[in-house]
Amino acid sequence: MASTIAISVLIISLPFFITYERQKRKELERLVGQQTKVLDHMGMHLRKLDNDFVHLEGRVDDLAEDVRELQQKQLNPES
């Protein structure tokens, strides 16, 4: 008797549970869509940094060469 009642309650509540899960899924899809739009918008404002790194590497090399020259001048002030 108790198992029959439990099965009946389960069968009756199943459509409500399915509706609830569908609503949660729709809300999640809506939020994911909003976040995707935000990320796409942010992506339009970002620029690639590859050239910046190449430029900075060149500047570091130039500065290192300048430091070496200054050190040489300090060690040999006559030249």
Side-chain angles (χ1 to χ4, degrees), residues 26-70:
K26 285 180 184 178
E27 179 66 15
L28 179 63
E29 288 173 353
R30 185 184 67 79
L31 291 173
V32 167
Q34 284 180 343
Q35 289 301 314
T36 301
K37 288 178 186 176
V38 168
L39 292 173
D40 288 345
H41 183 72
M42 288 173 58
M44 288 187 285
H45 297 291
L46 298 176
R47 60 185 177 86
K48 296 203 180 251
L49 298 175
D50 296 340
N51 291 335
D52 290 349
F53 288 124
V54 170
H55 178 73
L56 288 174
E57 285 176 358
R59 291 281 297 138
V60 167
D61 291 341
D62 293 343
L63 290 172
E65 185 177 331
D66 292 343
V67 167
R68 283 191 294 272
E69 288 174 6
L70 288 172

